[in-house]
Amino acid sequence: MSDALSAIPAAVHRNLSDKLYEKRKNAALELENIVKNLTSSGDHDKISKVIEMLIKEFAKSPQANHRKGGLIGLAAVTVGLSTEAAQYLEQIVPPVINSFSDQDSRVRYYACEALYNIAKVVRGDFIIFFNKIFDALCKLSADSDANVQSAAHLLDRLVKDIVTESDQFSIEEFIPLLKERMNVLNPYVRQFLVGWITVLDSVPDIDMLGFLPDFLDGLFNMLSDSSHEIRQQADSALSEFLQEIKNSPSVDYGRMAEILVQRAASPDEFTRLTAITWINEFVKLGGDQLVRYYADILGAILPCISDKEEKIRVVARETNEELRSIHVEPSDGFDVGAILSVARSRQLSSDFEATRIEALNWISTLLNKHRTEVLCFLNDIFDTLLKALSDSSDDVVLLVLEVHAGVAKDPQHFRQLIVFLVHNFRADNSLLERRGALIVRRMCVLLDAERVYRELSTILEGEDNLDFASTMVQALNLILLTSPELSKLRDLLKGSLVNREGKELFVALYTSWCHSPMAIISLCLLAQAYQHASVVIQSLVEEDINVKFLVQLDKLIRLLETPIFTYLRLQLLEPGRYTWLLKTLYGLLMLLPQQSAAFKILRTRLKTVPTYSFSTGNQIGRATSGVPFSQYKHQNEDGDLEEDNINSSHQGINFAARLQQFENVQNLHRGQARTRVNYSYHTSSSSTSKEVRRSEEQQQQQQQQQQQQRPPPSSTSSSVADNNRPPSRSSRKGPGQLQL
């Protein structure tokens, strides 16, 4: 240390720590000349002693003015060393860098100034300290003192110039430091970092693109910064990198795709738009390289299809179509199960219709392209698809049905689908009311109406929930009678008495239509089995005529006035030939309350029936011949159309057996209804006395017995016999008059 003091005059030593800047500056200039002389003489030991003295007595001093003097002194020594300075940098630079964190802002300012002067002298040799200097500058960029920030900016620009010129800069060592700093939220630090990324990317010898995955997430973070300037700088940097990706033959798409997928869900609109734009380019450029990321990418795209921002929606839809058009196979790493999971689990439950629709389109696409693989996951997606039938959007429901139809092309899956549909209707009555018609009609179009109705009938025939079975049959019957999609099925049923296919369908539907009297009557009218319809009406008992029945009857009467039943109304032009049709219609009329609109409609229609066709006695005799209702159940009906050619060629439906089947099912319904009444009664009267309750129960049992006991037709009772017996010749009162 004495060598250093002997080389430096006492005045210089004293002035270096003076509070006045001018004195410190003059002392530094004198020190610079002293070091120049020592360098010329080659006295390196003394130079080292001088540097050591400046560090120990000045740079590390507790006095701020001493520290300021030490910093300006170290810079002066470097300038004096000139070309020889590189060998002393290990001594000079560390204490200057340490001063960047000094508590005194003026010391920090002089540290920036000192390092600036040092860097100007040593240039490229300075690179060995780059990471430490970068870290220090990163902190100073957010310094609370404006003068320090200004000085740091000047130093930063010089360091950037040195780095761009140097061939010693190590990007591999720098990237971890950059990555660590990218999560800092301070706007000044962010601006500093973006500036460095841009500068380094502009250097041809530095491959920043290869390290882009390490700091890409940080750049996307900056897109949502509150500062417009930072957002612009980050966007500019990202745009430049995207352009480089387009021109680069080799890019690591996978790691960046993971980042983009996360950013596509950002709450910030600009970030989402940028992320989805990048994904769009990646799908176009990366293609096969992104196969294992397809599920994640799809998970990012589908929500954006429903984004509130139109630009995002447009890009997302384009990306979705591009992704769907790529032809890959499971052997290429394409994970069908992962794609199905994304479409089913996350997107089918989306609040947005457009997203749900595209999710279903993906399932449909996969089913068409990779049917075998999709069917392996059928158990995973089937319940979700069934629940989607309750969706608020008709478009979604129609797409769900298309997917179901695609699955149900296989017979075993067809049966499973229809069973699950019935189960859903049973579990959710509102689904049947709101969407029953839409679902059934669409399934009939996609999977063949006859096949669907036969399967539904088979399932409902064995249904334990009789109320549901009745409701379901009524719904199916209304669809059958009104839907344009089922016109061929109606035409087939119209020929039930003349061809085998119609007969088989009639019998197949009859088994479940028995759950609803009005459905059976409608089916018979459609099949032109008018005599059987009349007999079914006569078989009804008091319990059957309830509010629900009358509502259904009202619907049927109104349907009789629609184009679907034009053939039936035209048959009324020949009442002598279609006597059983007349009797059926009059039977329905007798069931209706006289003040109801339906009664007036039907009565008006029957008043228009012409009488001229009754002029031929033989025709009337042939048309009105028949058997009493009591005997009907014991023989086959030979023809409901009452035509000779049909009588001889119809398929021989055992209508007596059908009637027995209908009555058996209706007895089950009546029994269940009585059980319900009993249960309700016992529940409501639990607070009454035992004697009163016993008396009421006895009365109710007597009423039930009376209702269950139907008196057989008596030959002595002319009124009962007349009601149950079809018209005969003796019933004619005169030409054109028919007693029903």
Side-chain angles (χ1 to χ4, degrees), residues 69 74 104 162 233 251 341 347 429 504 560 575 610 649 680-681 722 736:
L74 289 171
D104 191 314
I162 294 172
Q233 290 179 349
V251 178
S341 178
Q347 309 310 331
N429 289 331
E504 290 176 353
L560 291 177
S649 63
S680 175
Y681 172 79
D722 289 342

Side-chain angles (χ1 to χ4, degrees), residues 38-212:
L38 291 174
T39 302
S40 300
S41 63
D43 195 347
H44 295 291
D45 289 339
K46 189 169 287 189
I47 293 173
S48 295
K49 297 294 184 182
V50 170
I51 295 172
E52 187 177 346
M53 180 270 295
L54 289 172
I55 295 171
K56 185 175 182 181
E57 296 187 14
F58 289 87
K60 294 184 178 181
S61 171
Q63 299 296 322
N65 288 332
H66 280 68
R67 297 197 296 275
K68 295 173 187 176
L71 291 169
I72 196 172
L74 289 171
V77 169
T78 305
V79 174
L81 286 169
S82 187
T83 58
E84 301 289 333
Q87 58 185 305
Y88 296 99
L89 289 179
E90 292 287 353
Q91 282 182 282
I92 296 172
V93 174
V96 177
I97 294 175
N98 291 337
S99 299
F100 283 149
S101 57
D102 196 282
Q103 61 182 0
D104 191 314
S105 62
R106 296 304 296 169
V107 173
R108 298 196 299 274
Y109 176 86
Y110 283 113
C112 292
E113 183 183 78
L115 194 57
Y116 182 89
N117 291 327
I118 294 170
K120 284 183 68 176
V121 173
V122 298
R123 303 297 291 184
D125 295 328
F126 182 73
I127 294 299
I128 61 174
F129 300 100
F130 175 77
N131 279 8
K132 291 182 179 180
I133 294 171
F134 177 86
D135 190 41
L137 286 173
C138 187
K139 296 174 183 177
L140 289 178
S141 64
D143 199 278
S144 58
D145 189 279
N147 291 326
V148 176
Q149 282 192 24
S150 179
H153 291 161
L154 289 173
L155 175 60
D156 181 53
R157 284 199 292 269
L158 176 60
V159 175
K160 287 175 181 174
D161 290 340
I162 294 172
V163 168
T164 56
E165 297 170 358
S166 174
D167 57 358
Q168 300 178 29
F169 177 73
S170 174
I171 185 66
E172 291 81 4
E173 295 178 5
F174 168 67
I175 289 298
L177 180 62
L178 175 64
K179 182 179 179 180
E180 181 183 348
R181 291 287 179 269
M182 290 299 290
N183 294 323
V184 176
L185 300 179
N186 187 282
Y188 296 106
V189 175
R190 285 184 162 184
Q191 205 165 10
F192 170 80
L193 295 172
V194 175
W196 267 100
I197 290 172
T198 303
V199 167
L200 293 176
D201 188 48
S202 66
V203 180
D205 295 334
I206 298 178
D207 181 22
M208 284 294 284
L209 184 59
F211 295 95
L212 180 57

Side-chain angles (χ1 to χ4, degrees), residues 654-672:
N654 189 340
F655 284 104
R658 300 282 79 76
L659 181 64
Q660 185 63 53
Q661 185 180 27
F662 168 73
E663 290 195 329
N664 290 341
V665 174
Q666 287 304 303
N667 283 333
L668 292 176
H669 280 271
R670 293 164 191 152
Q672 187 180 77

